[in-house]
Amino acid sequence: MLLKTFGWSFAVTAAGLALAGFLWGWQGLAIVAILSVLEISVSFDNAVINAGILRKLNPFWQRIFLTVGILIAVFGMRLVFPVVIVAITAKLGPIEAVRVAIEDHDRYEQLVTSAHPAIAAYGGMFLLMIFLDFIFEDREIKWLDWLEKPLAKLGKLETLSTVVSLVVLLIAATTVATAVPVHDGGGTIDKAATVLLAGIAGLVTYLVVGGISDFFENRLEEAEEDAEDEAEQAAAASGGKGGASVVGLAGKAAFFMFLYLEVIDASFSFDGVIGAFAITNDIFMMALGLGIGAMYIRSLTVFLVRKGTLDDYVYLEHGAHYAIGALAVILLLSIKYEINEVITGLIGVVLIGLSYLSSVVRNRKQAARTETSEVASGV
């Protein structure tokens, strides 16, 4: 099970480190290894969130997530995305942006760093909406009753998540975004308009992608219920026609859920990409190191799904969403303040660790109650 799930990650790690050693020597190998660990530590909560979504998909789409999805994650978000950001913010042509990324590492780092307020606002708003939609939903299982019960009551207002997100964005735009430090010579610059625009874009992205995904998921569930109720009649009357319809709906639902997963992954990768510049400004080293880490996050996601970990440890998803909320706040604060990636990673690990321990305690209490009940009934 372990080798089957993580086999490709182990293979990519070996090949990636060998390539790093060949191209850049021992120093390059060490940098790529450090970047891999950085990505895993910062994005561990991403695996838990992804697992909650991926378990709804069939094995085919899980394989797509590990193959096509990892190509998007590595080449799209860790290699192409920073270059696109440079091209847009610096108003460079695609070829010139690629040339700067490959040949002028210092200028490339400076351009990406200057684009950080827009990146942080976009990713921060997207992740904040994920957290708020989770915390405002009335769930049967609650981790922190004292907090989640009153928030679930407030969550009956359907637009509350959007309203709170917009308020947070306004606060960020009028506080941290008004005096962003200039990294190439001191002083500050007003990035309020940029942060507002990027934050609204992140909010719109969440509403559009999440809304479409939910729509097709609901359609799929309705179709499956109808198919179960009329299975024998449909098989006799229309042969395989009804089954084909359900498969088509499943394909649409799976596609948009896959798209939703990719957007989530993109939002999680922002801080990793920016943080990587503290270690190196070589775009290929960053892509290789962060790509290896992203591969492990993907494999861990599939492992959690196949082991049924989220069903066994019911508070893990809560802990991951609290970590997402913390990451969203950190991204918005990082518009003005420099926050070490170690802090970001530790917050996620601590929250998920606490939720795991709470799940273990819950499972033991349930097992003890079951045993006591069986003894009392004479079983």
Side-chain angles (χ1 to χ4, degrees), residues 332-360:
L332 294 175
L333 290 175
S334 70
I335 293 172
K336 181 177 182 179
Y337 305 103
E338 186 174 347
I339 300 174
N340 194 292
E341 290 73 29
V342 174
I343 297 175
T344 305
L346 282 177
I347 289 175
V349 171
V350 168
L351 287 170
I352 292 176
L354 290 174
S355 65
Y356 171 79
L357 292 176
S358 297
S359 299
V360 171

Short mmCIF file of all heavy atoms in Angstrom, two decimals, residues 332-360:
data_model
loop_
_atom_site.label_atom_id
_atom_site.label_comp_id
_atom_site.label_asym_id
_atom_site.label_seq_id
_atom_site.Cartn_x
_atom_site.Cartn_y
_atom_site.Cartn_z
N LEU A 332 -2.32 37.55 4.06
CA LEU A 332 -2.73 38.95 4.04
C LEU A 332 -1.77 39.83 4.86
O LEU A 332 -1.43 40.93 4.44
CB LEU A 332 -4.16 39.09 4.57
CG LEU A 332 -5.25 38.45 3.69
CD1 LEU A 332 -6.61 38.54 4.37
CD2 LEU A 332 -5.30 39.11 2.32
N LEU A 333 -1.32 39.32 5.99
CA LEU A 333 -0.36 40.08 6.79
C LEU A 333 0.99 40.19 6.09
O LEU A 333 1.71 41.19 6.24
CB LEU A 333 -0.16 39.41 8.16
CG LEU A 333 -1.33 39.49 9.14
CD1 LEU A 333 -1.03 38.69 10.39
CD2 LEU A 333 -1.64 40.94 9.50
N SER A 334 1.33 39.16 5.29
CA SER A 334 2.63 39.17 4.61
C SER A 334 2.72 40.21 3.51
O SER A 334 3.79 40.43 2.94
CB SER A 334 2.92 37.78 4.02
OG SER A 334 2.06 37.50 2.92
N ILE A 335 1.59 40.86 3.19
CA ILE A 335 1.62 41.97 2.24
C ILE A 335 2.56 43.06 2.74
O ILE A 335 3.28 43.68 1.96
CB ILE A 335 0.20 42.54 2.04
CG1 ILE A 335 -0.69 41.49 1.34
CG2 ILE A 335 0.24 43.82 1.23
CD1 ILE A 335 -2.15 41.89 1.28
N LYS A 336 2.58 43.26 4.05
CA LYS A 336 3.43 44.29 4.65
C LYS A 336 4.55 43.72 5.50
O LYS A 336 5.68 44.22 5.48
CB LYS A 336 2.58 45.23 5.51
CG LYS A 336 3.36 46.35 6.16
CD LYS A 336 2.44 47.30 6.94
CE LYS A 336 3.22 48.45 7.56
NZ LYS A 336 2.32 49.37 8.30
N TYR A 337 4.26 42.64 6.24
CA TYR A 337 5.23 42.10 7.19
C TYR A 337 5.85 40.82 6.65
O TYR A 337 5.17 40.00 6.03
CB TYR A 337 4.55 41.82 8.53
CG TYR A 337 3.84 43.02 9.11
CD1 TYR A 337 2.45 43.13 9.04
CD2 TYR A 337 4.56 44.05 9.71
CE1 TYR A 337 1.80 44.23 9.56
CE2 TYR A 337 3.91 45.16 10.24
CZ TYR A 337 2.53 45.24 10.16
OH TYR A 337 1.88 46.34 10.67
N GLU A 338 7.13 40.65 6.91
CA GLU A 338 7.82 39.42 6.50
C GLU A 338 7.61 38.37 7.57
O GLU A 338 7.99 38.54 8.73
CB GLU A 338 9.31 39.70 6.32
CG GLU A 338 10.07 38.51 5.77
CD GLU A 338 11.52 38.84 5.46
OE1 GLU A 338 11.87 40.04 5.43
OE2 GLU A 338 12.31 37.90 5.25
N ILE A 339 7.00 37.26 7.17
CA ILE A 339 6.69 36.17 8.10
C ILE A 339 7.44 34.92 7.66
O ILE A 339 7.29 34.46 6.52
CB ILE A 339 5.18 35.90 8.15
CG1 ILE A 339 4.44 37.16 8.60
CG2 ILE A 339 4.86 34.74 9.09
CD1 ILE A 339 2.94 37.04 8.55
N ASN A 340 8.24 34.39 8.55
CA ASN A 340 9.07 33.23 8.23
C ASN A 340 8.20 32.02 7.89
O ASN A 340 7.18 31.75 8.53
CB ASN A 340 9.98 32.89 9.42
CG ASN A 340 11.08 31.94 9.04
OD1 ASN A 340 10.84 30.78 8.75
ND2 ASN A 340 12.31 32.43 9.04
N GLU A 341 8.64 31.27 6.85
CA GLU A 341 7.87 30.10 6.41
C GLU A 341 7.81 29.01 7.48
O GLU A 341 6.89 28.19 7.49
CB GLU A 341 8.48 29.52 5.12
CG GLU A 341 8.31 30.39 3.89
CD GLU A 341 9.21 31.62 3.93
OE1 GLU A 341 10.29 31.56 4.54
OE2 GLU A 341 8.81 32.65 3.37
N VAL A 342 8.81 28.99 8.36
CA VAL A 342 8.80 28.01 9.45
C VAL A 342 7.57 28.21 10.33
O VAL A 342 6.92 27.24 10.76
CB VAL A 342 10.08 28.11 10.28
CG1 VAL A 342 10.01 27.19 11.50
CG2 VAL A 342 11.30 27.77 9.43
N ILE A 343 7.23 29.47 10.60
CA ILE A 343 6.04 29.77 11.41
C ILE A 343 4.78 29.28 10.70
O ILE A 343 3.91 28.65 11.31
CB ILE A 343 5.95 31.29 11.67
CG1 ILE A 343 7.14 31.76 12.49
CG2 ILE A 343 4.64 31.64 12.37
CD1 ILE A 343 7.19 33.26 12.69
N THR A 344 4.71 29.55 9.40
CA THR A 344 3.55 29.11 8.62
C THR A 344 3.40 27.60 8.68
O THR A 344 2.30 27.07 8.91
CB THR A 344 3.69 29.55 7.15
OG1 THR A 344 3.89 30.96 7.11
CG2 THR A 344 2.45 29.19 6.36
N GLY A 345 4.50 26.89 8.45
CA GLY A 345 4.45 25.44 8.47
C GLY A 345 4.11 24.88 9.83
O GLY A 345 3.32 23.94 9.96
N LEU A 346 4.70 25.46 10.89
CA LEU A 346 4.46 24.96 12.25
C LEU A 346 3.01 25.14 12.67
O LEU A 346 2.45 24.26 13.34
CB LEU A 346 5.38 25.68 13.24
CG LEU A 346 6.83 25.19 13.28
CD1 LEU A 346 7.64 26.04 14.26
CD2 LEU A 346 6.89 23.72 13.67
N ILE A 347 2.40 26.26 12.30
CA ILE A 347 1.00 26.49 12.67
C ILE A 347 0.12 25.38 12.09
O ILE A 347 -0.73 24.81 12.78
CB ILE A 347 0.53 27.87 12.17
CG1 ILE A 347 1.17 28.98 13.00
CG2 ILE A 347 -1.00 27.98 12.27
CD1 ILE A 347 0.86 30.37 12.52
N GLY A 348 0.34 25.06 10.81
CA GLY A 348 -0.44 24.00 10.18
C GLY A 348 -0.21 22.65 10.83
O GLY A 348 -1.16 21.90 11.12
N VAL A 349 1.06 22.32 11.10
CA VAL A 349 1.38 21.03 11.70
C VAL A 349 0.80 20.92 13.10
O VAL A 349 0.24 19.87 13.48
CB VAL A 349 2.92 20.83 11.73
CG1 VAL A 349 3.27 19.60 12.56
CG2 VAL A 349 3.47 20.69 10.32
N VAL A 350 0.89 21.99 13.88
CA VAL A 350 0.37 21.97 15.26
C VAL A 350 -1.15 21.78 15.27
O VAL A 350 -1.68 20.97 16.03
CB VAL A 350 0.75 23.26 16.00
CG1 VAL A 350 -0.02 23.38 17.31
CG2 VAL A 350 2.25 23.29 16.28
N LEU A 351 -1.86 22.54 14.43
CA LEU A 351 -3.33 22.44 14.40
C LEU A 351 -3.78 21.05 13.94
O LEU A 351 -4.71 20.47 14.52
CB LEU A 351 -3.90 23.51 13.48
CG LEU A 351 -3.86 24.94 14.02
CD1 LEU A 351 -4.21 25.96 12.94
CD2 LEU A 351 -4.81 25.08 15.21
N ILE A 352 -3.13 20.51 12.92
CA ILE A 352 -3.49 19.18 12.45
C ILE A 352 -3.12 18.13 13.49
O ILE A 352 -3.85 17.17 13.73
CB ILE A 352 -2.82 18.88 11.10
CG1 ILE A 352 -3.42 19.78 10.01
CG2 ILE A 352 -3.00 17.41 10.71
CD1 ILE A 352 -2.77 19.63 8.66
N GLY A 353 -1.96 18.33 14.16
CA GLY A 353 -1.56 17.40 15.22
C GLY A 353 -2.55 17.38 16.37
O GLY A 353 -2.91 16.32 16.88
N LEU A 354 -3.01 18.56 16.77
CA LEU A 354 -4.00 18.64 17.85
C LEU A 354 -5.32 17.99 17.45
O LEU A 354 -5.95 17.30 18.26
CB LEU A 354 -4.23 20.11 18.23
CG LEU A 354 -3.08 20.81 18.96
CD1 LEU A 354 -3.40 22.29 19.15
CD2 LEU A 354 -2.82 20.16 20.31
N SER A 355 -5.73 18.20 16.20
CA SER A 355 -6.98 17.58 15.74
C SER A 355 -6.84 16.07 15.67
O SER A 355 -7.81 15.33 15.95
CB SER A 355 -7.38 18.16 14.38
OG SER A 355 -6.44 17.82 13.37
N TYR A 356 -5.66 15.59 15.33
CA TYR A 356 -5.41 14.14 15.30
C TYR A 356 -5.49 13.56 16.71
O TYR A 356 -6.16 12.53 16.93
CB TYR A 356 -4.05 13.85 14.68
CG TYR A 356 -3.61 12.40 14.79
CD1 TYR A 356 -4.11 11.45 13.91
CD2 TYR A 356 -2.72 12.00 15.79
CE1 TYR A 356 -3.73 10.11 14.03
CE2 TYR A 356 -2.33 10.68 15.90
CZ TYR A 356 -2.84 9.74 15.01
OH TYR A 356 -2.47 8.42 15.12
N LEU A 357 -4.84 14.20 17.66
CA LEU A 357 -4.88 13.72 19.05
C LEU A 357 -6.30 13.75 19.60
O LEU A 357 -6.72 12.82 20.31
CB LEU A 357 -3.96 14.58 19.91
CG LEU A 357 -2.45 14.45 19.65
CD1 LEU A 357 -1.66 15.44 20.51
CD2 LEU A 357 -1.99 13.02 19.90
N SER A 358 -7.05 14.79 19.26
CA SER A 358 -8.45 14.86 19.70
C SER A 358 -9.26 13.72 19.10
O SER A 358 -10.14 13.15 19.77
CB SER A 358 -9.06 16.20 19.29
OG SER A 358 -8.41 17.28 19.93
N SER A 359 -8.97 13.36 17.87
CA SER A 359 -9.67 12.25 17.22
C SER A 359 -9.34 10.93 17.91
O SER A 359 -10.22 10.08 18.10
CB SER A 359 -9.27 12.17 15.74
OG SER A 359 -9.61 13.35 15.05
N VAL A 360 -8.07 10.75 18.28
CA VAL A 360 -7.66 9.53 18.98
C VAL A 360 -8.38 9.41 20.31
O VAL A 360 -8.89 8.33 20.67
CB VAL A 360 -6.13 9.52 19.18
CG1 VAL A 360 -5.72 8.35 20.09
CG2 VAL A 360 -5.41 9.42 17.84
#
